[in-house]
Amino acid sequence: MILKRNNITFIILLITTIITGVLLQLLLVLDIKNAIKSNIVEVEFYFSRNVEFQSALYYSFTDKFNKENKVEVDRSVGGIVIFKIPQSNKLLTNFRLDFGNKPETPLLEIDSMQIKYGNSFLKLKQKQLFEHIFTNSASVRLNKGENSITMMANIEPYDPYIVFDPFVKVILDNHPLRLPALLLPFLVFIGLQIKSWYIKFKPSPLDILLLLFIICIPLKIAWTTFLSILICAYAIFLSTRDRKFKMKNLEGLLLITLFLLTLIMGRPTELKVIDNQLALLLFATVTCSDIVNGRKLSSIYVYFFLILNALFVTAGLSFLLNFSSVFGLSIGEYFNEIKIYSGNIRNWIYYDHAVFLTFFGIVGLLPLKYGGVVKNQKTGIVIAYHLLLLGTIILFGARISLLVYLIFLINILIIVSLKWRIVFNVSAFIITAILLFSFIDCFDSSRFNLWVVSWEAIKDKPLFGYGLGSSDNILHTPKFLQEGRAVIPKPLNHAHNQFVTFLTEIGFIGFMLLIITIGIYLRRMAQNRMMTMVLFIFGLCYVFLTESILQTSKPLFVLCFLFILLTNMQANEITNEFDKNP
């Protein structure tokens, strides 16, 4: 917790850091724009083998292509096709590679692409190149696994082409100064704060491991898993040394019970089917060790997500300020097609799932309010956390996270008895679930198809389901696709609804056993006035409505971590807040 007298300085430094980050990125983009506008742009495509085919390059100064802005092949040498775009005082936006109109065009494989502008150039290898394909016509089938392009000659009308991301975006995403321009101001900000943080928190080796775990939340999944194992091993060492291991710890027993229920009802056929669920055992060990300082850990978590959301807002503001000129679209188009464009704000981190990242930030509201992170609830830190979190949710377009944020905000602001608080949350969740299931086909046809096909499968094996890890095969079974009259793309391997996924994989009996187990635990929490844990479970249930959050290891490991964080916060801090109006 930063001392009260330093709050104003902290907020001023944070605002300055955000502004500096935005300005540095704007300057970098301006430099790229000027380089493109003041020079002839040359685009070179390198194909894996030398084949004859028709091609042309369309370019645009808006979001539309026209015949006036078209260049033929300047020269073609041994599998290299080169186009030269004439110099213009306007900024180039999109570019499109056309493959002519001859149905006999052979299988093509682009090896790489190079963009030259003035004295600068950017070369993209196959994997990078396919990451910058914005869309393609129905006459072209892209295989991103093999980086190949196949012409679909039977499509009418036959019009094969590929549209790439705008020139500035392609260059910026691969520019060596992109990350430094975003991160450098924040590294300076952290450097200015690190001494006071170290004095305040006085981190132990366990605290450092937990801090590293938090830092790895938006990074590689393997790092999160490795740190979880280290934390578990260190917890066993400390609890054995200090004789603090408590096998009767309620939270630890809950995690162990959930693991056993999943194991028994899920009937896994091999270890890799249940490897994600092993997180429950790892964190059950840490919980039973009873060595985590919940108040200190929650403070670290809150400040980490304060800075992470500040980074997202910084990236988002600079992106929106350049959106019109780079994409040739209005700002309104960003929000109309937010699912398409919002990924640009977080594509600089490894784990960029919009809903999960924003939900992890929303959970930080609980220790911020009830865990003693900031004693004076009117401080700028609280306001900054809310504003940056809300800004991130809006920029990401995470609709379910916005709903969870509003539910949490209502719970934080209203002062009513525990009974009425629970009545409100149960009623709000039931109404939301009914509305979502009733109208999902109106605003999300993809999830509607997933749920319809899953339901057809559930009706065939309602009691015990098909076993853990079966969702992928079930969703692409011809029988259920035909019965559900749906088409599901191959990459989709779960229902994007954890409740539906549970029913598919472990059936109604397994699902009800899980609900009863968690219900018994929540009843105990409510009796002890531990409303933060109740809110956490409710928030998670909202996310369950649109995401199968437990199907991948990253969210499951983080949720187990948050479970430890919330259950180890000082109970008196939480109880006092809800005792104001018993």
Side-chain angles (χ1 to χ4, degrees), residues 24 40 80 82 102 208 260 267 272 342 346 458 467 539 547 558:
L24 286 177
I40 294 174
I80 304 174
I82 302 171
K102 294 182 178 180
I208 293 173
L260 291 176
R267 310 179 302 283
K272 71 177 184 179
S342 64
R346 57 187 186 275
I458 291 167
E547 303 291 340
V558 177

Side-chain angles (χ1 to χ4, degrees), residues 170-184:
V170 174
I171 296 170
L172 179 64
D173 284 356
N174 298 278
H175 200 287
L177 294 180
R178 187 203 178 193
L179 271 181
L182 174 64
L183 298 179
L184 185 59

Side-chain angles (χ1 to χ4, degrees), residues 100-119:
N101 55 9
K102 294 182 178 180
E104 63 271 17
T105 301
L107 175 70
L108 300 172
E109 185 175 343
I110 302 178
D111 182 66
S112 58
M113 177 181 73
Q114 183 168 266
I115 300 174
K116 292 182 179 179
Y117 51 106
N119 297 322

Side-chain angles (χ1 to χ4, degrees), residues 7 17 24 75 84 103 167 184 186 214 224 284 359 406-407 422 465 471 475 488 491 520 524 563 577:
N7 283 339
T17 301
L24 286 177
R75 58 190 185 278
K84 280 190 175 182
F167 282 98
L184 185 59
F186 287 90
I214 294 171
T224 303
F359 177 71
L406 294 175
I407 293 293
I422 292 176
S471 292
L475 290 173
I488 295 178
I520 292 171
R524 178 74 174 270
F563 183 76
E577 289 292 337

Side-chain angles (χ1 to χ4, degrees), residues 416-459:
V416 295
S417 67
L418 183 65
K419 180 181 70 175
W420 287 110
R421 192 181 295 270
I422 292 176
V423 168
F424 163 75
N425 283 289
V426 170
S427 302
F429 178 76
I430 292 174
I431 292 171
T432 301
I434 292 173
L435 291 175
L436 185 65
F437 277 99
S438 300
F439 299 103
I440 187 66
D441 58 322
C442 299
F443 57 87
D444 197 329
S445 59
S446 177
R447 279 186 173 84
F448 174 74
N449 288 335
L450 288 169
W451 296 358
V452 166
V453 173
S454 296
W455 181 246
E456 295 299 330
I458 291 167
K459 289 191 295 184

Side-chain angles (χ1 to χ4, degrees), residues 2 124 162 232 261 312 445 575:
I2 293 178
L124 302 179
I162 298 172
C232 176
L261 283 175
F312 288 137
S445 59
T575 303

Side-chain angles (χ1 to χ4, degrees), residues 38-266:
S38 59
N39 293 282
I40 294 174
V41 175
E42 188 174 286
V43 185
E44 303 176 359
F45 292 95
Y46 295 74
F47 290 87
S48 297
R49 55 197 180 102
N50 189 9
V51 294
E52 293 290 331
F53 64 95
Q54 273 188 317
S55 61
L57 190 75
Y58 285 83
Y59 59 95
S60 175
F61 302 107
T62 63
D63 64 322
K64 307 293 183 184
F65 294 100
N66 56 63
K67 294 181 179 179
E68 287 73 29
N69 297 327
K70 173 186 176 183
V71 290
E72 302 293 342
V73 176
D74 183 72
R75 58 190 185 278
S76 177
V77 183
I80 304 174
V81 180
I82 302 171
F83 301 93
K84 280 190 175 182
I85 301 176
Q87 182 179 341
S88 173
N89 58 358
K90 296 180 182 179
L91 180 66
L92 292 169
T93 54
N94 302 296
F95 61 112
R96 165 181 146 182
L97 179 62
D98 273 42
F99 295 97
N101 55 9
K102 294 182 178 180
E104 63 271 17
T105 301
L107 175 70
L108 300 172
E109 185 175 343
I110 302 178
D111 182 66
S112 58
M113 177 181 73
Q114 183 168 266
I115 300 174
K116 292 182 179 179
Y117 51 106
N119 297 322
S120 302
F121 73 93
L122 170 68
K123 188 165 186 176
L124 302 179
K125 296 182 179 179
Q126 277 187 333
K127 184 178 180 181
Q128 295 171 299
L129 175 66
F130 270 70
E131 288 174 354
H132 287 288
I133 293 177
F134 183 76
T135 188
N136 56 277
S137 70
S139 305
V140 175
R141 182 169 65 86
L142 300 177
N143 187 329
K144 293 195 176 184
E146 299 177 359
N147 299 317
S148 63
I149 304 167
T150 305
M151 305 304 160
M152 311 295 288
N154 59 333
I155 300 295
E156 294 290 342
Y158 181 69
D159 183 25
Y161 63 81
I162 298 172
V163 179
F164 294 88
D165 284 333
F167 282 98
V168 174
K169 172 176 163 48
V170 174
I171 296 170
L172 179 64
D173 284 356
N174 298 278
H175 200 287
L177 294 180
R178 187 203 178 193
L179 271 181
L182 174 64
L183 298 179
L184 185 59
F186 287 90
L187 293 175
V188 173
F189 171 77
I190 292 171
L192 293 173
Q193 303 294 326
I194 199 164
K195 183 178 179 180
S196 62
W197 282 343
Y198 183 83
I199 293 172
K200 182 63 185 178
F201 293 126
K202 297 175 182 176
S204 65
L206 178 63
D207 294 331
I208 293 173
L209 285 176
L210 292 167
L211 170 61
L212 290 174
F213 180 94
I214 294 171
I215 292 173
C216 286
I217 288 175
L219 304 179
K220 289 187 176 182
I221 295 173
W223 298 356
T224 303
T225 306
F226 177 66
L227 280 165
S228 299
I229 295 171
L230 283 182
I231 292 167
C232 176
Y234 193 67
I236 292 173
F237 165 73
L238 289 182
S239 58
T240 303
R241 185 193 67 184
D242 301 334
R243 297 181 181 179
K244 286 187 175 180
F245 204 79
K246 299 179 180 179
M247 280 304 297
K248 293 184 179 180
N249 180 288
L250 181 62
E251 284 72 31
L253 291 174
L254 173 66
L255 294 179
I256 293 171
T257 303
L258 292 176
F259 173 78
L260 291 176
L261 283 175
T262 308
L263 182 68
I264 295 168
M265 302 307 300

